Amino acid sequence: MTSLIVLSCVLAFVNAVIAGNHEIYSGYSVHGVRLRDQADQIVLHKLEEDLNVDLWNHGAPGLRDALVMVSPENKREFLAILDQNGLNHYLHLDDVASSLKEYDTQVSSWKLSRTNRMPFLDYPRYAEVDAYMERIAREYPDLVTYSVYSVKLRDRSDQLVLLNLQVELNVDLWDHGAPDLRNALVMVSPENKLKFLDTLEENSINHQLHLTDVALFLKAYDTHVTSWKQSRTNRMPFEDYPRYAEVDAYMERLAQEYPSLVTLVNAGASFEGRAIKYLKISTTNFSNTSKPIYFLDATLHAREWVTVPVALYSIHRLVENLRDQDRDLLENVDWIVLPIANPDGYEYSHTDDRLWRRTRSYNAEVSTECWGVDANRNFDVNFNTIGVSSDPCSNVYPGHVAFSEPETRYVRDILLENIDRLQLYLNIHSHGNYLLFGFGNTTLPANVAQLHHVAAAMGAAIDVKKLPIAPYYLIGNSNLVLYGSSGSAQDYGQEVGVPFSYTLELPGYGYSFVVPPQYIDQINTETWEGIALSARLASLYYRARNRF
């Protein structure tokens, strides 16, 4: 009897916590509206003013449908105006009140099934958030409070404001965003916060606080990852965020177990002396000139951990788990996979600074205070001309000369040694769901139509498998879609003769560079679909070019 009373009290408390007056939404409905162009967006915004409809999702023409909640009394007029303007629409939710009640029931059940929840694993009330922040402030008084802001971009000029701030204030662009499609995310130091916000205000750029304290965010992430690792045993390296030694051991094992298929190559030592190794995967030991070569690498930027599992999973699917539908990928293509291009930075991001981006080289003639360069600005193509900073401490410092880093020289050497057959180079990064090609200096390659064709097909293949919370991949020239850049691996590959040279930005799901490990399997499997399709298309182009 006592236990029943306790359970009743708990249920009453949970319901009190989550319940709202949902009856006020009785009869309200939500409609999906397919947008064709900006004129359709203007129609919805006018309805927002005239009928007080609630735009749950503003949508994007040709990319995402808008979602609009409408009151019962305005429903008929709302639908009539859509029809008058030729807007395609459909019923998304019949009754908002009923949907909210169902949600309450689901949340009640979930809360009862989980105990000792941390606030970031729940939907906490104000008092819980306040208590959590008070505790963290007491326990970690010395942490520097970097913050992250979400910035709404209207046009190219807003992008240029952020790029100038990147150089002037050394802000860290976590996500460059896309005008009217995706907000930018910018990490700012405490000492630069006021100047940063003043500049946004002066340029009338809408913004809001995204993360109050980066240190707290990373601490919570560490706790979550530790718990996740403890709950899973016998993980393969591509199912985790492996350390350098684990990746090295995995490649060594594959080379020993599959000697007729896999060759392990030591390109040379990193600045700190770590061996930078890659696998060559071929059924013909790279001797068949009728087969194109596909080269993919990861972690030029150290903090982008999720790129490593994708590279390793690609190896796994080609070597250990080759499926019947993928046999053509081995029969028709030779592969080079470099899972950790920047091992010093990658290890440093595990041991010292989770958000470390650069290499770890040291040159006292350049700076006695700052280490490393942006490896993806260090290639000898339009070097040190656009999208870089002369500050050696900046995340976009390109180095004092092109190819100053051994890590970028090894990537260069792989490209040049295989240039006769190298058909596609995929430089994998995180995050944002972008597939980009050159050049970063506003010029376009001669084969831009073919580049766009393969990229669009690759993005579409990934999008078929994507999670609903992820945006669709944006495809295009890196300068036009994001920003101007120089010295990138993508541009260098295109410049020296790789027909298809791309930057792939993997999903972040709102977590930026610290994607929770439970998303690794999803990212691996969906990205593999795109890699496989792009390899097949590249092979077709290669055979047509060489008339095989």
Side-chain angles (χ1 to χ4, degrees), residues 251 254-255 262-264 277-281 315 335-337:
M251 292 195 294
L254 291 183
V262 174
T263 302
L264 180 62
K277 300 178 183 179
Y278 61 90
L279 292 185
K280 297 173 72 173
I281 302 170
I315 294 171
W335 296 78
I336 298 174
V337 184

Side-chain angles (χ1 to χ4, degrees), residues 224-235 517-518:
H224 176 71
V225 171
T226 299
S227 174
W228 182 86
K229 285 177 177 283
Q230 290 172 348
S231 70
R232 293 169 66 95
T233 57
N234 300 319
R235 296 184 308 275
Q518 58 262 38

